[in-house]
Coordinates of all heavy atoms in Angstrom, one line a residue:
M21 N 0.8 -1.2 0.0 CA 0.0 0.0 0.0 C 0.9 1.2 0.0 O 1.9 1.3 0.7 CB -0.9 0.0 1.2 CG -1.7 1.2 1.4 SD -3.4 0.7 1.5 CE -4.3 2.1 1.0
A22 N 0.5 2.2 -0.7 CA 1.3 3.5 -0.9 C 1.2 4.3 0.4 O 0.2 4.3 1.1 CB 0.7 4.3 -2.0
D23 N 2.3 4.9 0.8 CA 2.4 5.7 2.0 C 2.0 7.1 1.6 O 2.7 7.8 0.9 CB 3.8 5.7 2.5 CG 4.0 6.6 3.7 OD1 3.0 7.1 4.2 OD2 5.1 6.7 4.2
L24 N 0.9 7.6 2.1 CA 0.4 8.9 1.7 C 0.7 10.0 2.8 O 0.1 11.1 2.8 CB -1.1 8.9 1.4 CG -1.5 8.1 0.2 CD1 -3.1 8.0 0.1 CD2 -0.9 8.6 -1.0
T25 N 1.6 9.6 3.7 CA 1.9 10.6 4.8 C 2.5 11.8 4.3 O 2.4 12.9 4.9 CB 2.8 9.9 5.9 OG1 4.0 9.5 5.3 CG2 2.1 8.8 6.6
S26 N 3.1 11.7 3.1 CA 3.8 12.9 2.5 C 3.4 12.8 1.0 O 4.2 12.4 0.2 CB 5.3 12.8 2.7 OG 5.9 13.9 2.0
S27 N 2.2 13.3 0.7 CA 1.8 13.2 -0.7 C 1.5 14.6 -1.3 O 1.4 15.6 -0.6 CB 0.5 12.4 -0.8 OG -0.6 13.0 -0.2
T28 N 1.5 14.6 -2.6 CA 1.2 15.9 -3.3 C 0.0 15.6 -4.2 O -0.1 14.6 -4.9 CB 2.4 16.2 -4.2 OG1 3.6 16.3 -3.4 CG2 2.2 17.5 -5.0
E29 N -0.9 16.5 -4.2 CA -2.1 16.4 -5.1 C -1.8 17.1 -6.4 O -1.2 18.2 -6.5 CB -3.3 17.1 -4.5 CG -3.8 16.4 -3.3 CD -4.6 15.1 -3.6 OE1 -5.3 15.0 -4.7 OE2 -4.4 14.1 -2.9
R30 N -2.1 16.5 -7.5 CA -1.9 17.0 -8.9 C -3.1 16.7 -9.8 O -4.0 16.0 -9.4 CB -0.6 16.4 -9.5 CG 0.6 16.6 -8.8 CD 1.3 17.9 -9.3 NE 2.4 18.3 -8.4 CZ 3.7 18.0 -8.6 NH1 4.0 17.2 -9.6 NH2 4.6 18.4 -7.8
R31 N -3.1 17.3 -10.9 CA -4.1 17.0 -12.0 C -3.3 16.2 -13.1 O -2.2 16.5 -13.4 CB -4.7 18.2 -12.6 CG -5.5 19.0 -11.6 CD -6.8 18.3 -11.4 NE -7.6 19.0 -10.4 CZ -8.6 18.5 -9.8 NH1 -9.0 17.3 -10.0 NH2 -9.3 19.2 -8.9
A32 N -4.0 15.2 -13.7 CA -3.4 14.4 -14.7 C -4.4 14.1 -15.8 O -5.6 14.2 -15.6 CB -2.9 13.1 -14.1
T33 N -3.9 13.8 -17.0 CA -4.7 13.3 -18.1 C -4.7 11.8 -18.1 O -3.6 11.2 -18.1 CB -4.2 13.9 -19.4 OG1 -4.3 15.3 -19.4 CG2 -5.1 13.4 -20.6
C34 N -5.9 11.2 -18.1 CA -6.0 9.8 -18.2 C -6.1 9.3 -19.6 O -6.9 9.9 -20.4 CB -7.2 9.3 -17.3 SG -7.5 7.5 -17.5
M35 N -5.4 8.3 -20.0 CA -5.5 7.8 -21.3 C -6.1 6.4 -21.3 O -5.9 5.5 -22.2 CB -4.1 7.8 -22.0 CG -3.6 9.2 -22.2 SD -2.1 9.3 -23.1 CE -0.9 8.6 -21.9
G36 N -6.9 6.1 -20.3 CA -7.6 4.8 -20.2 C -8.7 4.5 -21.2 O -9.1 3.4 -21.3
C37 N -9.2 5.6 -21.8 CA -10.2 5.4 -22.8 C -10.2 6.6 -23.8 O -9.3 7.5 -23.6 CB -11.6 5.3 -22.2 SG -12.3 6.9 -21.5
S38 N -11.1 6.7 -24.7 CA -11.0 7.7 -25.7 C -11.5 9.1 -25.2 O -11.3 10.1 -25.9 CB -11.9 7.3 -26.9 OG -13.2 7.2 -26.5
L39 N -12.0 9.2 -24.0 CA -12.4 10.5 -23.4 C -11.2 11.4 -23.1 O -11.3 12.6 -23.1 CB -13.3 10.3 -22.2 CG -14.6 9.7 -22.5 CD1 -15.4 9.5 -21.2 CD2 -15.4 10.5 -23.5
L40 N -10.1 10.8 -22.7 CA -8.9 11.5 -22.3 C -9.2 12.6 -21.3 O -8.8 13.8 -21.5 CB -8.2 12.2 -23.6 CG -7.7 11.2 -24.6 CD1 -7.2 12.0 -25.8 CD2 -6.7 10.2 -24.1
C41 N -9.8 12.2 -20.2 CA -10.1 13.1 -19.1 C -8.9 13.9 -18.7 O -7.9 13.2 -18.3 CB -10.8 12.4 -18.0 SG -12.4 11.6 -18.5
G42 N -8.9 15.2 -18.7 CA -7.7 16.0 -18.4 C -7.8 16.6 -17.0 O -6.9 17.3 -16.6
D43 N -8.8 16.3 -16.2 CA -8.9 16.9 -14.9 C -8.9 15.9 -13.8 O -9.5 16.1 -12.7 CB -10.2 17.8 -14.9 CG -11.4 16.9 -15.1 OD1 -11.3 15.8 -15.5 OD2 -12.5 17.5 -14.9
L44 N -8.3 14.8 -14.0 CA -8.3 13.7 -13.0 C -7.3 14.1 -11.8 O -6.2 14.4 -12.0 CB -7.8 12.4 -13.6 CG -7.8 11.2 -12.8 CD1 -9.2 10.8 -12.5 CD2 -7.1 10.0 -13.4
A45 N -7.9 14.0 -10.6 CA -7.1 14.3 -9.4 C -6.2 13.1 -9.1 O -6.8 12.0 -9.1 CB -7.9 14.7 -8.3
V46 N -5.0 13.3 -8.9 CA -4.1 12.2 -8.5 C -3.3 12.6 -7.3 O -3.0 13.8 -7.1 CB -3.2 11.7 -9.6 CG1 -3.9 11.1 -10.8 CG2 -2.2 12.8 -10.1
S47 N -2.8 11.7 -6.5 CA -1.9 11.9 -5.4 C -0.6 11.2 -5.8 O -0.6 10.2 -6.4 CB -2.4 11.3 -4.1 OG -3.5 12.0 -3.7
I48 N 0.5 11.9 -5.5 CA 1.8 11.3 -5.7 C 2.4 11.1 -4.3 O 2.7 12.1 -3.6 CB 2.7 12.2 -6.5 CG1 2.0 12.5 -7.9 CG2 4.1 11.6 -6.8 CD1 2.7 13.5 -8.7
D49 N 2.7 9.9 -3.9 CA 3.2 9.6 -2.6 C 4.7 9.9 -2.5 O 5.3 10.2 -3.5 CB 2.8 8.2 -2.0 CG 3.6 7.1 -2.7 OD1 4.5 7.4 -3.4 OD2 3.2 5.9 -2.4
R50 N 5.3 9.8 -1.3 CA 6.7 10.1 -1.2 C 7.6 9.2 -1.9 O 8.8 9.5 -2.2 CB 7.1 10.2 0.3 CG 7.0 8.9 1.0 CD 7.4 9.1 2.4 NE 7.5 7.8 3.1 CZ 7.7 7.6 4.3 NH1 7.9 8.7 5.1 NH2 7.8 6.4 4.8
D51 N 7.1 8.0 -2.4 CA 7.9 7.1 -3.1 C 7.7 7.3 -4.6 O 8.2 6.6 -5.5 CB 7.5 5.6 -2.8 CG 7.9 5.3 -1.3 OD1 8.9 5.8 -0.9 OD2 7.1 4.6 -0.7
G52 N 6.9 8.3 -5.0 CA 6.6 8.6 -6.4 C 5.5 7.8 -7.0 O 5.2 8.0 -8.2
A53 N 4.8 7.0 -6.3 CA 3.6 6.3 -6.8 C 2.5 7.2 -7.1 O 2.2 8.1 -6.3 CB 3.2 5.2 -5.8
I54 N 1.8 7.0 -8.2 CA 0.7 7.9 -8.6 C -0.6 7.1 -8.2 O -0.8 6.0 -8.7 CB 0.7 8.2 -10.1 CG1 2.0 9.0 -10.4 CG2 -0.5 9.0 -10.5 CD1 2.2 9.2 -11.8
I55 N -1.4 7.8 -7.4 CA -2.7 7.2 -7.0 C -3.8 8.0 -7.5 O -4.0 9.2 -7.1 CB -2.8 7.1 -5.4 CG1 -1.6 6.3 -4.9 CG2 -4.1 6.5 -5.0 CD1 -0.5 7.1 -4.4
P56 N -4.6 7.5 -8.5 CA -5.7 8.2 -9.0 C -6.8 8.4 -8.0 O -7.1 7.5 -7.2 CB -6.2 7.4 -10.2 CG -5.8 6.0 -9.9 CD -4.5 6.1 -9.1
R57 N -7.4 9.6 -7.9 CA -8.6 9.8 -7.0 C -9.8 9.9 -7.9 O -10.3 11.0 -8.3 CB -8.3 11.2 -6.3 CG -7.1 11.2 -5.5 CD -7.2 10.3 -4.3 NE -6.0 10.3 -3.5 CZ -5.7 9.3 -2.8 NH1 -6.4 8.2 -2.8 NH2 -4.6 9.4 -2.1
T58 N -10.3 8.7 -8.2 CA -11.5 8.6 -9.1 C -12.3 7.3 -8.8 O -11.7 6.4 -8.3 CB -11.1 8.7 -10.6 OG1 -12.2 8.6 -11.4 CG2 -10.1 7.5 -10.9
D59 N -13.5 7.4 -9.2 CA -14.3 6.1 -9.1 C -14.3 5.4 -10.5 O -15.0 4.4 -10.6 CB -15.8 6.5 -8.7 CG -15.9 7.0 -7.3 OD1 -15.1 6.5 -6.5 OD2 -16.8 7.8 -7.0
C60 N -13.6 6.0 -11.5 CA -13.6 5.4 -12.8 C -12.7 4.2 -12.8 O -11.5 4.2 -12.6 CB -13.1 6.4 -13.8 SG -13.0 5.7 -15.5
R61 N -13.3 3.0 -13.1 CA -12.6 1.8 -13.2 C -11.6 1.7 -14.2 O -10.5 1.2 -14.0 CB -13.6 0.6 -13.4 CG -13.0 -0.7 -13.4 CD -14.1 -1.8 -13.6 NE -15.0 -1.5 -14.7 CZ -14.8 -1.8 -16.0 NH1 -13.7 -2.4 -16.4 NH2 -15.7 -1.5 -16.9
L62 N -11.8 2.3 -15.4 CA -10.9 2.4 -16.5 C -9.6 3.2 -16.1 O -8.5 2.8 -16.4 CB -11.5 2.9 -17.8 CG -12.5 2.0 -18.4 CD1 -13.1 2.7 -19.6 CD2 -11.9 0.7 -18.9
A63 N -9.9 4.3 -15.5 CA -8.7 5.1 -15.0 C -7.9 4.4 -14.0 O -6.6 4.4 -14.1 CB -9.2 6.5 -14.4
A64 N -8.5 3.8 -13.1 CA -7.7 3.0 -12.1 C -6.9 1.9 -12.7 O -5.7 1.7 -12.4 CB -8.7 2.4 -11.0
Q65 N -7.5 1.2 -13.7 CA -6.8 0.1 -14.4 C -5.6 0.7 -15.2 O -4.5 0.1 -15.2 CB -7.7 -0.6 -15.3 CG -8.7 -1.5 -14.5 CD -9.7 -2.2 -15.5 OE1 -9.9 -1.8 -16.6 NE2 -10.4 -3.1 -14.9
W66 N -5.9 1.8 -15.9 CA -4.8 2.4 -16.7 C -3.6 2.9 -15.8 O -2.5 2.6 -16.2 CB -5.4 3.6 -17.5 CG -4.3 4.1 -18.4 CD1 -4.0 3.6 -19.7 CD2 -3.5 5.3 -18.2 NE1 -3.0 4.4 -20.2 CE2 -2.7 5.4 -19.3 CE3 -3.4 6.2 -17.2 CZ2 -1.7 6.4 -19.5 CZ3 -2.4 7.2 -17.3 CH2 -1.6 7.3 -18.4
F67 N -3.9 3.5 -14.7 CA -2.8 4.0 -13.9 C -2.1 2.8 -13.3 O -0.8 2.8 -13.1 CB -3.3 5.0 -12.8 CG -3.4 6.4 -13.3 CD1 -4.6 6.9 -13.7 CD2 -2.3 7.2 -13.4 CE1 -4.7 8.2 -14.2 CE2 -2.4 8.5 -13.8 CZ -3.6 9.0 -14.3
D68 N -2.8 1.7 -12.9 CA -2.1 0.5 -12.4 C -1.2 -0.1 -13.4 O -0.1 -0.5 -13.1 CB -3.2 -0.5 -11.9 CG -3.8 -0.1 -10.6 OD1 -3.3 0.8 -9.9 OD2 -4.9 -0.7 -10.3
L69 N -1.7 -0.2 -14.6 CA -0.9 -0.7 -15.7 C 0.3 0.1 -16.0 O 1.4 -0.4 -16.1 CB -1.7 -0.9 -17.0 CG -1.0 -1.5 -18.2 CD1 -0.6 -2.9 -17.9 CD2 -2.0 -1.5 -19.4
A70 N 0.2 1.4 -16.0 CA 1.3 2.3 -16.3 C 2.3 2.2 -15.2 O 3.5 2.2 -15.4 CB 0.8 3.8 -16.4
A71 N 1.9 2.1 -13.9 CA 2.8 2.0 -12.8 C 3.5 0.7 -12.7 O 4.6 0.6 -12.2 CB 2.0 2.2 -11.5
S72 N 2.9 -0.3 -13.3 CA 3.5 -1.7 -13.3 C 4.8 -1.7 -14.1 O 5.6 -2.7 -14.0 CB 2.5 -2.7 -13.7 OG 2.3 -2.7 -15.1
G73 N 4.9 -0.8 -15.1 CA 6.1 -0.8 -16.0 C 5.8 -1.8 -17.1 O 6.7 -2.1 -17.9
K74 N 4.6 -2.4 -17.2 CA 4.3 -3.4 -18.2 C 3.4 -2.8 -19.3 O 2.9 -3.6 -20.1 CB 3.7 -4.6 -17.6 CG 4.7 -5.3 -16.6 CD 4.0 -6.5 -16.0 CE 5.0 -7.2 -15.0 NZ 4.4 -8.3 -14.3
A75 N 3.2 -1.5 -19.3 CA 2.3 -1.0 -20.3 C 2.7 -1.3 -21.7 O 1.9 -1.6 -22.5 CB 2.2 0.5 -20.1
D76 N 4.0 -1.2 -22.0 CA 4.5 -1.5 -23.3 C 4.3 -2.9 -23.7 O 3.9 -3.3 -24.8 CB 6.0 -1.1 -23.5 CG 6.2 0.4 -23.5 OD1 5.2 1.1 -23.8 OD2 7.3 0.8 -23.1
D77 N 4.4 -3.8 -22.7 CA 4.2 -5.3 -23.0 C 2.8 -5.6 -23.3 O 2.5 -6.5 -24.0 CB 4.6 -6.1 -21.7 CG 6.1 -6.0 -21.4 OD1 6.9 -5.6 -22.3 OD2 6.5 -6.3 -20.2
K78 N 1.9 -4.8 -22.7 CA 0.5 -5.1 -22.9 C -0.2 -4.2 -23.9 O -1.4 -4.3 -24.2 CB -0.3 -4.9 -21.6 CG 0.3 -5.8 -20.5 CD -0.8 -6.1 -19.5 CE -0.3 -7.1 -18.5 NZ -0.6 -8.5 -18.7
A79 N 0.6 -3.3 -24.6 CA 0.0 -2.4 -25.5 C -0.8 -3.0 -26.6 O -1.9 -2.6 -27.0 CB 1.1 -1.5 -26.2
D80 N -0.3 -4.2 -27.2 CA -1.0 -4.8 -28.2 C -2.4 -5.4 -27.7 O -3.3 -5.5 -28.4 CB -0.2 -6.0 -28.8 CG 0.9 -5.4 -29.7 OD1 0.8 -4.2 -30.1 OD2 1.8 -6.2 -30.1
Q81 N -2.4 -5.8 -26.4 CA -3.7 -6.3 -25.9 C -4.7 -5.2 -25.6 O -5.9 -5.5 -25.5 CB -3.4 -7.0 -24.5 CG -2.5 -8.2 -24.7 CD -2.1 -8.8 -23.3 OE1 -2.8 -8.5 -22.3 NE2 -1.0 -9.5 -23.3
L82 N -4.2 -4.0 -25.6 CA -5.1 -2.8 -25.3 C -5.7 -2.2 -26.6 O -6.5 -1.3 -26.6 CB -4.4 -1.8 -24.5 CG -3.9 -2.3 -23.1 CD1 -3.1 -1.2 -22.5 CD2 -5.1 -2.7 -22.3
C83 N -5.1 -2.6 -27.8 CA -5.5 -2.0 -29.0 C -6.6 -2.8 -29.7 O -6.5 -4.0 -29.9 CB -4.3 -1.9 -29.9 SG -4.6 -1.1 -31.5
L84 N -7.7 -2.0 -30.1 CA -8.8 -2.6 -30.9 C -9.0 -1.8 -32.1 O -8.9 -0.6 -32.1 CB -10.0 -2.6 -30.1 CG -10.1 -3.4 -28.7 CD1 -11.4 -3.2 -28.0 CD2 -9.8 -4.9 -29.0
V85 N -9.2 -2.5 -33.2 CA -9.6 -1.9 -34.5 C -10.9 -2.5 -34.9 O -11.0 -3.7 -35.1 CB -8.5 -2.1 -35.6 CG1 -9.0 -1.6 -36.9 CG2 -7.2 -1.4 -35.2
N86 N -11.9 -1.6 -35.0 CA -13.3 -2.1 -35.3 C -13.7 -3.1 -34.3 O -14.4 -4.1 -34.7 CB -13.4 -2.6 -36.7 CG -13.2 -1.5 -37.7 OD1 -13.6 -0.3 -37.5 ND2 -12.4 -1.8 -38.8
G87 N -13.4 -3.0 -33.0 CA -13.8 -3.9 -32.0 C -13.0 -5.2 -31.9 O -13.3 -6.0 -31.1
Q88 N -12.0 -5.4 -32.8 CA -11.2 -6.6 -32.8 C -9.8 -6.3 -32.3 O -9.2 -5.3 -32.6 CB -11.2 -7.2 -34.2 CG -12.5 -7.5 -34.8 CD -13.2 -8.6 -33.9 OE1 -12.7 -9.6 -33.6 NE2 -14.5 -8.3 -33.7
P89 N -9.2 -7.2 -31.6 CA -7.8 -7.1 -31.1 C -6.9 -6.8 -32.3 O -7.0 -7.4 -33.4 CB -7.5 -8.4 -30.5 CG -8.8 -9.0 -30.1 CD -9.7 -8.5 -31.1
A90 N -6.0 -5.9 -32.2 CA -5.0 -5.5 -33.2 C -3.7 -5.1 -32.6 O -3.6 -4.8 -31.4 CB -5.6 -4.3 -34.0
S91 N -2.7 -5.2 -33.4 CA -1.3 -4.7 -33.0 C -1.3 -3.2 -32.8 O -2.2 -2.5 -33.4 CB -0.3 -5.2 -34.0 OG -0.4 -4.4 -35.2
T92 N -0.3 -2.7 -32.1 CA -0.2 -1.3 -32.0 C 0.0 -0.6 -33.4 O -0.6 0.4 -33.6 CB 1.0 -0.9 -31.1 OG1 0.7 -1.6 -29.8 CG2 1.1 0.6 -30.9
G93 N 0.8 -1.2 -34.2 CA 1.0 -0.7 -35.6 C -0.3 -0.6 -36.4 O -0.5 0.4 -37.1
E94 N -1.1 -1.7 -36.3 CA -2.4 -1.7 -37.0 C -3.3 -0.6 -36.4 O -4.0 0.1 -37.2 CB -3.1 -3.0 -36.8 CG -2.4 -4.1 -37.6 CD -2.9 -5.5 -37.2 OE1 -3.3 -5.7 -36.1 OE2 -2.9 -6.4 -38.1
G95 N -3.3 -0.4 -35.1 CA -4.1 0.7 -34.5 C -3.7 2.1 -35.0 O -4.5 2.9 -35.3
I96 N -2.3 2.3 -35.0 CA -1.8 3.6 -35.5 C -2.2 3.8 -36.9 O -2.6 4.9 -37.3 CB -0.3 3.7 -35.3 CG1 0.0 3.7 -33.7 CG2 0.3 4.9 -36.0 CD1 1.4 3.5 -33.4
T97 N -2.0 2.8 -37.8 CA -2.4 2.9 -39.2 C -3.9 3.3 -39.4 O -4.2 4.1 -40.1 CB -2.0 1.6 -39.9 OG1 -0.6 1.4 -39.8 CG2 -2.4 1.7 -41.4
E98 N -4.7 2.6 -38.6 CA -6.2 2.9 -38.7 C -6.5 4.2 -38.2 O -7.3 5.0 -38.8 CB -7.0 1.8 -37.9 CG -8.5 2.0 -38.0 CD -9.1 1.9 -39.3 OE1 -8.4 1.5 -40.3 OE2 -10.3 2.2 -39.4
A99 N -5.9 4.7 -37.1 CA -6.1 6.0 -36.6 C -5.7 7.1 -37.6 O -6.4 8.1 -37.8 CB -5.3 6.2 -35.3
A100 N -4.5 6.9 -38.2 CA -4.1 7.8 -39.2 C -5.0 7.9 -40.4 O -5.3 8.9 -40.9 CB -2.7 7.4 -39.7
R101 N -5.6 6.7 -40.8 CA -6.5 6.7 -41.9 C -7.8 7.4 -41.6 O -8.3 8.2 -42.3 CB -6.9 5.2 -42.3 CG -7.8 5.1 -43.5 CD -8.3 3.7 -43.7 NE -9.3 3.3 -42.7 CZ -10.5 3.8 -42.6 NH1 -11.0 4.6 -43.6 NH2 -11.4 3.4 -41.7
L102 N -8.3 7.2 -40.3 CA -9.5 7.9 -39.9 C -9.3 9.4 -39.9 O -10.2 10.2 -40.3 CB -9.9 7.4 -38.5 CG -10.5 6.0 -38.5 CD1 -10.7 5.5 -37.1 CD2 -11.8 5.9 -39.3
I103 N -8.2 9.8 -39.3 CA -7.9 11.3 -39.3 C -7.8 11.9 -40.7 O -8.3 12.9 -41.0 CB -6.6 11.6 -38.4 CG1 -6.9 11.2 -37.0 CG2 -6.2 13.0 -38.6 CD1 -5.7 11.2 -36.1
R104 N -7.0 11.2 -41.5 CA -6.8 11.6 -42.9 C -8.1 11.8 -43.7 O -8.3 12.7 -44.5 CB -5.9 10.7 -43.6 CG -5.4 11.1 -45.0 CD -4.3 10.2 -45.6 NE -4.6 8.8 -45.5 CZ -4.0 7.9 -44.7 NH1 -3.1 8.3 -43.9 NH2 -4.4 6.6 -44.8
H105 N -9.1 10.9 -43.4 CA -10.4 11.0 -44.1 C -11.5 11.8 -43.4 O -12.6 11.9 -43.9 CB -10.9 9.6 -44.5 CG -10.0 8.9 -45.5 ND1 -9.0 8.0 -45.1 CD2 -10.0 9.0 -46.8 CE1 -8.4 7.6 -46.2 NE2 -9.0 8.2 -47.2
S106 N -11.2 12.3 -42.2 CA -12.2 13.0 -41.5 C -12.4 14.4 -42.1 O -11.5 15.0 -42.6 CB -11.8 13.1 -40.0 OG -10.7 13.8 -39.8
T107 N -13.6 15.0 -41.9 CA -13.8 16.3 -42.4 C -13.5 17.4 -41.3 O -13.2 18.5 -41.7 CB -15.3 16.5 -42.8 OG1 -16.1 16.1 -41.8 CG2 -15.6 15.6 -44.1
L108 N -13.7 17.0 -40.0 CA -13.4 18.0 -39.0 C -12.6 17.3 -37.9 O -13.1 17.0 -36.8 CB -14.7 18.5 -38.4 CG -15.5 19.4 -39.3 CD1 -16.9 19.6 -38.6 CD2 -14.8 20.7 -39.6
P109 N -11.3 17.0 -38.2 CA -10.5 16.2 -37.2 C -10.3 17.1 -35.9 O -10.2 18.3 -36.0 CB -9.2 16.0 -37.9 CG -9.1 17.0 -38.9 CD -10.5 17.3 -39.3
L110 N -10.3 16.4 -34.8 CA -10.1 17.0 -33.5 C -8.7 17.4 -33.3 O -8.4 18.4 -32.6 CB -10.6 16.1 -32.4 CG -10.7 16.7 -31.0 CD1 -11.7 17.9 -31.0 CD2 -11.2 15.6 -30.0
I111 N -7.8 16.7 -33.9 CA -6.3 17.0 -33.7 C -5.7 17.4 -35.0 O -6.2 17.2 -36.0 CB -5.6 15.8 -33.1 CG1 -5.8 14.6 -33.9 CG2 -6.0 15.6 -31.6 CD1 -5.0 13.4 -33.5

């Protein structure tokens, strides 16, 4: 369990889903662990995965194209295609 006796409150952007919530409250304990302050299950899972150091190992498991598992490369290619063909891209 993280030691919060000396923690810092910050705001973070969560990349656990496509909403990219940018106002997520997090605490950083004295050991540098990031603890999300949210009831969102996806955010908690994303921060746990990122903290585990295994996010890169699991990236392919987290990528879906048209609802089907895909490699990270396939996901990037599909995202680029969607942006290229969009009429009002957000980015």
Side-chain angles (χ1 to χ4, degrees):
M21 175 125 203
D23 179 5
L24 294 177
T25 57
S26 177
S27 67
T28 303
E29 291 287 324
R30 299 271 169 92
R31 294 286 179 195
T33 299
C34 175
M35 295 186 288
C37 74
S38 61
L39 293 177
L40 298 175
C41 297
D43 60 349
L44 184 69
V46 297
S47 293
I48 303 171
D49 73 10
R50 68 179 185 186
D51 296 323
I54 299 173
I55 301 99
R57 301 291 179 207
T58 180
D59 291 330
C60 177
R61 182 179 48 83
L62 290 175
Q65 289 174 347
W66 184 81
F67 277 97
D68 285 346
L69 181 61
S72 73
K74 297 179 182 177
D76 291 336
D77 297 340
K78 300 209 180 264
D80 286 346
Q81 297 173 19
L82 300 175
C83 183
L84 299 175
V85 173
N86 295 320
Q88 300 299 314
S91 71
T92 303
E94 291 168 328
I96 291 169
T97 299
E98 179 64 8
R101 186 190 70 75
L102 290 170
I103 292 169
R104 191 171 46 252
H105 291 99
S106 64
T107 56
L108 296 171
L110 191 57
I111 54 174

